[in-house]
Amino acid sequence: MTPKRKQKLFVILGLVSLAAIAVGLTLYALRANINLFFSPVQIAQGDAPMERQIRAGGMVKEGSVSRDPESLDVEFTVTDYVDDLEVYYSGILPDLFREGQGVVVVGELQADGRLYADKVLARHDENYMPPEVAQALEEAGYSPADYQAKAAEVGKRLDEEGVPQASEY
Amino acid sequence: MWAFIHKLGSPKWFYTISAKLQPWFWAAAVLLLVVGSLWGLAFAPADYQQGNSFRIIYVHVPAAFLAQSIFISMAVSGLVFMVWKIKVADMAAAVMAPLGAAMTFVALFSGAVWGVPTWGTWWMWDARLTSMLILLFLYLGVIALRGAFTSRDSASRAASVLAMVGVINIPIIKYSVDWWYTLHQPASFTLTSRPAMPTEMWLPLVIMVLGFYSFFIALTLMRTRSEILRREANKRWVQDLVKGQVEETR
């Protein structure tokens, strides 16, 4: 490699790394805004603004969904297995909505500590399996995506460290 | 090694060798894509939660892989062109951009179609979806920059710089689902870890990914060859080649 080419290579690599650092710092500074939703831990800590539209995310707690038989009203608890958030919603839920499933709810936190949702979105996990496999797992005593086991681990970690980690969901 | 790379940099040598390689990649692409899509769309089992709508993975994931890989290839070609002045690298980068933009669009569109029944929305400004949209704009920017200069050399240099700087977006796309809370799930399919699905769903996906890559290589070879003929039209060897072919058809 001639000295001139070497110099050029270093100039380019230098410029690209500087740009990468700039982008990295910007994203780090904006991290709170880039997160799509607040977790129940963050809401319990008071990080989320009241009476303004926010998004909250977590798992629908097992056994917490109660539907009003007369209307589309539904109440459920969103949990990250550390703190819980009660959600009230009136409308049609996505097909994937079920207990133990990840959701993102859009709505306002009210003074009673509940979130009044305008929109409920289901969050899919990265696991795929045929129905027979899911059924076999369930019969063997596991929940299909094994959410509970995964989430319990996260909960234990959080208790020890006290820091919510985005990557665990 | 260096001799080989320098030879590869010669348009004439590239034109000859790519003629031999091209049919193999086309054959592999057709075979893999036919087998993969039949297997994935008709024979792989449905998902326990999403039913048949999960089958969009067989287009969405390979397209998203390719969208990112093509951008990286474009940036590497840009670097090779800027530092070593190898013109073939720039020609390859030029012909890759439209396919990359198309793949990004396919990934975004198939994701939106899948998002409606699964998430309950077709778009959300989460980190993964937004960074992928930025990738589409970067591709369009690279294509537009190439068209915006009258001098080919300035156009090539500007497009190379944008591709090299824009490559910063690739790790952001890849790790967005780990760094931030997003609606998009983490990767189901990676080269490094155990797949998050059983073999009968995973194998057709591997075949589709390989098919998409073969298609990309075959198309890039083909289009680079025509780009070589276009740019080297006043060179002796191209004129001889064309003359020879014209006489053959006579």
Side-chain angles (χ1 to χ4, degrees), chain B residues 222-239:
Chain B
M222 189 179 94
R223 298 200 60 211
T224 308
R225 285 163 60 80
S226 15
E227 187 75 11
I228 288 175
L229 292 186
R230 194 176 308 137
R231 288 201 197 177
E232 308 266 291
N234 52 1
K235 292 272 162 66
R236 188 65 189 270
W237 71 271
V238 175
Q239 289 172 348

Side-chain angles (χ1 to χ4, degrees), chain A residues 117-157:
Chain A
D118 309 320
K119 209 172 178 185
V120 175
L121 303 174
R123 223 177 149 255
H124 186 254
D125 69 353
E126 70 270 34
N127 296 300
Y128 292 79
M129 63 182 91
E132 309 86 70
V133 177
Q135 206 188 341
L137 267 179
E138 219 156 345
E139 278 163 11
Y142 298 101
S143 98
D146 231 357
Y147 263 128
Q148 299 288 359
K150 231 198 280 183
E153 264 175 43
V154 178
K156 223 171 90 190
R157 266 253 329 277

Side-chain angles (χ1 to χ4, degrees), chain B:
Chain B
M1 175 74 189
W2 282 107
F4 174 76
I5 290 177
H6 276 281
K7 257 202 214 155
L8 196 65
S10 131
K12 188 181 174 186
W13 194 81
F14 184 92
Y15 190 86
T16 321
I17 194 80
S18 58
K20 289 183 194 132
L21 289 174
Q22 207 188 333
W24 294 101
F25 282 106
W26 278 118
V30 170
L31 187 72
L32 291 167
L33 288 177
V34 168
V35 171
S37 38
L38 279 180
W39 190 353
L41 298 182
F43 297 107
D47 182 60
Y48 75 112
Q49 279 188 323
Q50 303 167 54
N52 281 320
S53 68
F54 105 94
R55 292 183 200 281
I56 223 150
I57 198 177
Y58 295 115
V59 175
H60 179 78
V61 169
F65 266 44
L66 219 51
Q68 297 172 68
S69 303
I70 294 176
F71 204 91
I72 295 173
S73 321
M74 232 166 60
V76 171
S77 306
L79 184 75
V80 170
F81 170 69
M82 291 290 272
V83 176
W84 287 275
K85 298 273 169 216
I86 291 175
K87 275 188 243 153
V88 174
D90 180 55
M91 297 181 203
V95 301
M96 279 177 206
L99 181 66
M103 285 298 144
T104 315
F105 179 78
V106 167
L108 284 169
F109 182 78
S110 59
V113 169
W114 177 84
V116 172
T118 316
W119 292 338
T121 182
W122 65 277
W123 184 261
M124 185 107 246
W125 292 100
D126 88 337
R128 171 58 72 81
L129 275 60
T130 310
S131 53
M132 206 60 189
L133 187 66
I134 292 172
L135 184 70
L136 180 63
F137 292 156
L138 282 172
Y139 270 121
L140 298 180
V142 168
I143 296 170
L145 262 186
R146 276 196 192 274
F149 289 84
T150 39
S151 138
R152 177 174 289 149
D153 195 49
S154 320
S156 301
R157 284 146 62 102
S160 302
V161 169
L162 182 57
M164 285 186 291
V165 174
V167 89
I168 297 168
N169 192 31
I170 301 295
I172 296 176
I173 296 175
K174 178 158 169 41
Y175 293 107
S176 54
V177 289
D178 300 325
W179 289 343
W180 301 291
Y181 293 132
T182 53
L183 186 61
H184 194 288
Q185 65 273 24
S188 300
F189 179 89
T190 55
L191 297 174
T192 47
S193 60
R194 202 178 62 84
M197 61 186 80
T199 319
E200 66 263 39
M201 288 169 143
W202 178 75
L203 218 52
L205 184 55
V206 176
I207 293 174
M208 285 303 273
V209 169
L210 292 176
F212 268 65
Y213 274 99
S214 309
F215 172 69
F216 158 57
I217 296 170
L219 191 72
T220 305
L221 288 178
M222 189 179 94
R223 298 200 60 211
T224 308
R225 285 163 60 80
S226 15
E227 187 75 11
I228 288 175
L229 292 186
R230 194 176 308 137
R231 288 201 197 177
E232 308 266 291
N234 52 1
K235 292 272 162 66
R236 188 65 189 270
W237 71 271
V238 175
Q239 289 172 348
D240 287 350
L241 189 92
V242 173
K243 220 179 274 168
Q245 282 189 351
V246 169
E247 265 158 30
E248 227 171 74
T249 51
R250 230 173 240 167

